[in-house]
């Protein structure tokens, strides 16, 4: 097996969840790694987390944290969420995510998680992180890159292999696209987001149940909220960027924001006392899916995480997928006979999965903002859980396969489609589970392949 460092040092661009995870996997394989991160050290500087303040962490991310020896530390800063708390007309309804005690997702602070990963990377003794070091350009043929330091002074640095974990606006990917190694498609969702903080109550307690992901579904748009350990919640409004009465183009100033919230989310007006100040000072973020074909250039460069496959956030999987991609690449580096072969095998195995989660993430937006209040969706959801209860060796609902297992996303999507067809047939004309013909259900389910064995989360 040729090594990543046979032509010079191994550099990683970006110290987000993918860059730090990849650096630790490489250190475990005996490499010395230098990471260049454009932002200051978040453990020492009070910088914004960049994108979302907190995230949903699920089994795929946790499996990586276990490999890296970071799971126990991260577990100490998470808040389990057992389902969606749906808020409609002042009433709430908890829709559990799964039916086993372990089937919960975890709310975790982006800065908290990333800080632990930085500590773990540095503790290997094989990872050096250069903060405020921004990659500006990469010459893949010469194996050199230009980085600028905190004073904006450029430095040319040589490398043997460069690993682009620099997120959805990746500079490494730009260089690969310019050289013809990659082709990139960016599909804007057309919806943006704005984060708002729901502070703790006067006695420091949570103002909502912390052990649920709160959703205020409103058809074309929605708000959600996830708890943070200090007693507050990060609420996020997702809404069309332009057009119509309900868009970031129409709801602009503080007065229109207050009117909008009073009409659509009166509960949030009560929960966020400084709503108009936050509305004015917090930015609107954009959302897009990035699909890249060509994740590597010979044995000189490879893209991992959002740099290769950024997705919209509605399945809570972007970071989980980014970290899982590091695990997949590390496995190929261990088993392949050359670095180039490992890079090519990584993309051919992984891209069908990241394409699948990209599609499922978009589908889940519709589910969260609209379907969760639709009686036919609720019947299908209860039936999927009932089929899983009766035939757990063959049936797992889509949400469970994505969040609670490490089954390939492409297989999860294919199984979900099959199950969707069965649910359509069984619920046609049914008003409740009592109307479902379970003898027919058994015959249909017996045609589904057994769930794969040896996949975490499947029992
Ligand atoms: C609103 C929102 C909510 C989300 N919620 C979830 C969720 O609940 N669960 C989930 O799993 N995922 C979620 N995601 C997705 C998740 O944020 C990303 O998938 C994840 O951060 C990708 O990790 P990464 O390391 O590939 O990229 P990033 O996290 O973007 O990290 C890239 C790093 O590279 C650095 N960098 C960038 N350019 C350069 C450069 N030129 N030189 C040097 N350094 C550079 C950046 O500063 C950054 O530190 C959400 C995303 C958004 C926008």
């Amino acid at each position: 097996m040729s090594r990543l460092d046979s032509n010079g040092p191994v550099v990683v661009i970006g110290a987000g969840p993918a860059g730090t995870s990849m650096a630790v996997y490489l250190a475990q394989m005996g490499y010395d790694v230098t990471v260049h991160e454009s932002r200051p050290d978040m453990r020492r500087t009070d910088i914004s987390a960049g994108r979302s303040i907190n995230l949903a962490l699920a089994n795929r991310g946790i499996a990586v944290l276990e490999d890296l020896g970071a799971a126990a530390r991260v577990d100490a800063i998470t808040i389990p969420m057992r389902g969606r708390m749906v808020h409609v007309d002042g009433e709430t309804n908890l829709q559990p995510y799964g039916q086993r005690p372990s089937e919960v997702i975890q709310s975790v602070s982006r800065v908290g998680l990333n800080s632990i990963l930085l500590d773990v990377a540095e503790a290997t003794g094989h990872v050096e992180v250069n903060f405020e070091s921004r990659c500006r350009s990469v010459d893949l043929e010469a194996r050199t890159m230009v980085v600028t330091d905190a004073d904006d002074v450029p430095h040319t640095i040589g490398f043997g292999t460069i690993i682009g974990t620099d997120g959805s606006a990746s500079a490494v990917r730009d260089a690969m696209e310019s050289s013809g190694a990659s082709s990139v498609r960016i599909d804007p969702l057309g919806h943006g987001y704005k984060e708002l903080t729901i502070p703790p109550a006067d006695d420091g307690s949570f103002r909502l149940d912390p052990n649920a992901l709160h959703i205020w579904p409103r058809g074309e748009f929605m708000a959600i909220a996830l708890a943070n350990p200090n007693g507050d919640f990060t609420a996020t409004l997702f809404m069309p960027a332009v057009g119509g009465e309900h868009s970031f183009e129409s709801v602009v100033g503080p007065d229109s924001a207050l009117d909008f919230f009073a009409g659509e989310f009166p509960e949030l007006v009560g929960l966020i006392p400084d709503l108009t100040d936050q509305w004015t000072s917090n930015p609107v973020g954009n959302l897009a899916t990035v699909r890249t074909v060509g994740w590597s250039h010979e044995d000189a460069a490879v893209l991992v995480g959002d740099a290769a496959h950024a997705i919209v956030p509605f399945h809570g999987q972007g970071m989980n997928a980014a970290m899982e991609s590091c695990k997949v690449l590390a496995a190929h580096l261990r088993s392949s006979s050359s670095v180039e072969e490992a890079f090519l095998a990584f993309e051919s195995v992984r891209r069908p999965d990241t394409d699948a989660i990209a599609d499922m993430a978009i589908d889940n937006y519709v589910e969260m903002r609209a379907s969760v209040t639709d009686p036919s969706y609720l019947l299908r959801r209860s039936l999927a859980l009932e089929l899983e209860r009766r035939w757990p060796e063959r049936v797992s609902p889509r949400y469970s396969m994505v969040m609670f297992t490490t089954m390939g996303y492409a297989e999860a999507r294919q199984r979900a489609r099959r199950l969707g067809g069965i649910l359509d047939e069984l619920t046609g004309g049914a008003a409740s589970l009592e109307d479902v013909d379970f003898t027919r259900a058994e015959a249909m389910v017996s045609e589904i392949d057994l769930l794969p064995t040896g996949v975490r989360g499947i029992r």
Side-chain angles (χ1 to χ4, degrees):
M1 162 86 195
S2 52
R3 286 182 54 92
L4 288 170
D5 52 5
S6 34
N7 294 308
V10 181
V11 299
V12 171
I13 307 299
T20 47
S21 301
M22 200 64 232
V24 179
Y25 275 121
L26 294 176
Q28 288 174 345
M29 293 163 72
Y31 289 107
D32 288 318
V33 179
T34 306
V35 183
H36 294 270
E37 165 58 46
S38 56
R39 291 183 297 174
D41 188 346
M42 60 176 66
R43 295 165 299 178
R44 295 180 179 84
T45 324
D46 186 14
I47 54 168
S48 107
R51 287 181 286 172
S52 58
I53 292 167
N54 55 18
L55 303 140
L57 172 69
N59 276 29
R60 294 167 200 270
I62 294 169
V64 171
L65 294 171
E66 284 171 359
D67 284 353
L68 308 181
R73 274 188 72 186
V74 173
D75 188 50
I77 61 163
T78 56
I79 300 178
M81 299 181 287
R82 61 190 189 288
R84 296 168 173 157
M85 188 72 82
V86 178
H87 296 245
V88 176
D89 295 335
E91 304 283 319
T92 55
N93 164 31
L94 180 72
Q95 299 180 1
Y97 281 132
Q99 51 192 334
R100 301 176 176 111
S102 62
E103 291 179 340
V104 296
I105 58 175
Q106 309 289 338
S107 172
V108 69
S109 130
R110 187 185 287 271
V111 170
L113 172 62
N114 217 145
S115 298
I116 291 171
L117 288 171
L118 284 166
D119 285 350
V120 170
E122 288 179 345
T124 62
H126 294 282
V127 178
E128 182 191 322
V129 187
N130 293 336
F131 293 96
E132 298 183 78
S133 180
R134 177 179 288 278
C135 174
R136 297 284 177 185
S137 62
V138 182
D139 182 333
L140 294 166
E141 293 308 323
R143 298 194 196 228
T144 58
M145 63 172 179
V146 175
V147 298
T148 46
D149 63 21
D151 299 318
D152 225 15
V153 176
H155 304 268
T156 300
I157 297 175
F159 59 82
T161 304
I162 188 167
I163 300 183
T165 50
D166 47 345
S168 57
S170 168
V172 180
R173 191 184 66 223
D174 286 348
M176 289 176 50
E177 193 178 14
S178 305
S179 77
S182 306
S183 71
V184 183
R185 200 178 96 202
I186 299 179
D187 296 327
L189 182 68
H191 288 226
Y193 70 97
K194 188 185 278 262
E195 289 188 313
L196 303 164
T197 301
I198 300 173
D202 292 342
D203 63 0
S205 61
F206 289 106
R207 288 168 165 229
L208 296 166
D209 178 352
N211 297 121
L213 190 151
H214 295 264
I215 310 186
W216 290 261
R218 297 295 183 261
E220 268 300 292
F221 56 97
M222 68 174 182
I224 66 167
L226 280 74
N228 295 305
N230 62 351
D232 66 22
F233 281 80
T234 304
T236 311
L237 170 68
F238 294 96
M239 187 161 73
V242 294
E245 186 191 351
H246 300 130
S247 70
F248 284 109
E249 183 187 45
S250 312
V251 185
V252 181
D255 293 341
S256 69
L258 196 54
D259 283 351
F260 167 66
F261 274 83
E264 300 294 339
F265 305 110
E267 196 184 355
L268 289 175
V269 177
L271 290 169
I272 309 177
D274 59 344
L275 174 65
T276 50
D277 290 347
Q278 289 196 42
W279 183 267
T280 308
S281 45
N282 295 357
V284 176
N286 297 315
L287 299 166
T289 303
V290 176
R291 294 177 203 265
T292 310
V293 175
W295 290 5
S296 60
H297 175 76
E298 299 167 359
D299 60 356
V302 64
L303 303 173
V304 193
D306 271 19
H309 50 73
I311 60 176
V312 295
F314 305 107
H315 223 307
Q317 278 292 308
M319 173 191 67
N320 287 277
M323 294 169 71
E324 192 177 58
S325 287
C326 298
K327 185 182 177 86
V328 175
L329 175 57
H332 283 291
L333 285 170
R334 285 194 205 96
S335 64
S336 301
S337 58
S338 75
V339 170
E340 188 172 354
E341 182 192 307
F343 287 173
L344 292 172
F346 165 55
E347 178 176 352
S348 74
V349 166
R350 186 63 175 160
R351 187 150 51 75
D353 284 329
T354 55
D355 283 345
I357 189 58
D359 295 340
M360 290 191 284
I362 293 170
D363 293 345
N364 219 47
Y365 188 25
V366 180
E367 182 165 322
M368 290 174 81
R369 64 181 155 83
S371 312
V372 288
T373 58
D374 173 357
S376 70
Y377 163 83
L378 294 173
L379 176 58
R380 288 164 57 89
R381 171 90 187 130
S382 328
L383 179 56
L385 290 169
E386 181 58 30
L387 297 181
E388 182 189 37
R389 244 187 310 274
R390 292 178 184 229
W391 298 291
E393 69 290 351
R394 291 185 197 272
V395 176
S396 180
R398 187 200 72 202
Y399 191 86
S400 304
M401 290 187 283
V402 170
M403 302 305 276
F404 305 133
T405 80
T406 54
M407 177 195 305
Y409 291 119
E411 177 169 3
R413 179 178 57 176
Q414 182 255 320
R415 284 181 162 275
R417 284 180 176 155
R418 180 92 196 265
L419 180 61
I422 291 176
L423 296 175
D424 283 345
E425 290 209 25
L426 292 173
T427 56
S432 75
L433 281 189
E434 281 159 23
D435 302 329
V436 171
D437 177 349
F438 281 99
T439 309
R440 190 162 163 236
E442 182 168 20
M444 294 173 100
V445 166
S446 69
E447 303 276 306
I448 301 178
D449 288 344
L450 290 169
L451 285 160
T453 51
V455 173
R456 185 193 164 103
I458 303 273
R459 53 213 90 194

